[in-house]
Amino acid sequence: MINRIVAIFLIIFLSPFFLIIGLLIYLEDGFPVFFEQKRVGQNCSFFMILKFRTMKLNTPNVATHLLDNPDQYVLKIGKVLRKYSLDELPNLLNIINGEMVFVGPRPALYNQDDLMALRVAAGVDKLKPGITGWAQVNGRDELLIQQKVDFDVEYLQRQSFWFDIKILWFTFKKVLQHDGVSH
């Protein structure tokens, strides 16, 4: 419940940024300004994660690292949004909908069967996915799948209010330094 209340407050507070970012995306590449993608939620359920669109409309629907030349598809504003993780701001709506929380394992793509199999075996699938998590502050895109799951298991075992605060603080620092972002 606290996640939803904080998310509502943040959306109200950040609404001018939502409008400005949406306008910049629209001016560069038209509508829609949001990007929806099928992700794996708690107990292997599916939901549509909401992000600001950072790629051009004609971009093939595959993971960025699978594109031949991903830079040709990234919007100018998209580079800035990704650098500072501002493309994730609409995840606040996923929190309000009860699909996500602020801290938890980052939601897997619907087709990341290898990651999900490891999470199910470790019991991590029982956690609600988060905007940030222990794996994100310990390597993010650079981690191997097993390393991500190991950090997710550690989070499951250490889960507490103060551990969440620590992860949020590390996230804030990493975002300002744009550390751990490979695309």
Side-chain angles (χ1 to χ4, degrees), residues 44-127:
C44 296
S45 61
F46 294 107
F47 71 100
M48 297 302 284
I49 197 169
L50 195 60
K51 296 176 152 196
F52 280 116
R53 186 167 60 88
T54 61
M55 307 287 273
K56 294 177 183 173
L57 289 173
N58 65 347
T59 304
N61 191 12
V62 296
T64 304
H65 69 279
L66 297 177
L67 294 169
D68 283 332
N69 180 9
D71 288 339
Q72 72 176 327
Y73 296 105
V74 178
L75 298 170
K76 291 176 194 132
I77 184 64
K79 290 177 185 174
V80 175
L81 296 176
R82 286 176 171 214
K83 182 177 180 177
Y84 294 102
S85 298
L86 296 173
D87 58 322
E88 306 287 348
L89 284 177
N91 288 177
L92 293 169
L93 295 167
N94 292 112
I95 292 176
I96 292 169
N97 289 338
E99 300 156 331
M100 293 178 70
V101 290
F102 283 100
V103 180
R106 192 72 188 138
L109 290 166
Y110 70 94
N111 59 357
Q112 285 183 296
D113 297 329
D114 48 354
L115 174 59
M116 286 315 303
L118 290 170
R119 283 182 170 176
V120 168
V124 174
D125 62 306
K126 305 292 183 239
L127 295 170

Side-chain angles (χ1 to χ4, degrees), residues 96-161:
I96 292 169
N97 289 338
E99 300 156 331
M100 293 178 70
V101 290
F102 283 100
V103 180
R106 192 72 188 138
L109 290 166
Y110 70 94
N111 59 357
Q112 285 183 296
D113 297 329
D114 48 354
L115 174 59
M116 286 315 303
L118 290 170
R119 283 182 170 176
V120 168
V124 174
D125 62 306
K126 305 292 183 239
L127 295 170
K128 215 172 253 195
I131 291 178
T132 188
W134 191 227
Q136 280 62 43
V137 299
N138 282 291
R140 199 170 171 176
D141 291 339
E142 292 107 8
L143 295 175
L144 300 172
I145 289 174
Q146 183 61 58
Q147 291 173 307
K148 287 180 185 180
V149 173
D150 291 343
F151 281 116
D152 292 341
V153 168
E154 184 180 349
Y155 175 74
L156 177 65
Q157 294 167 346
R158 294 179 60 189
Q159 196 176 3
S160 71
F161 174 77

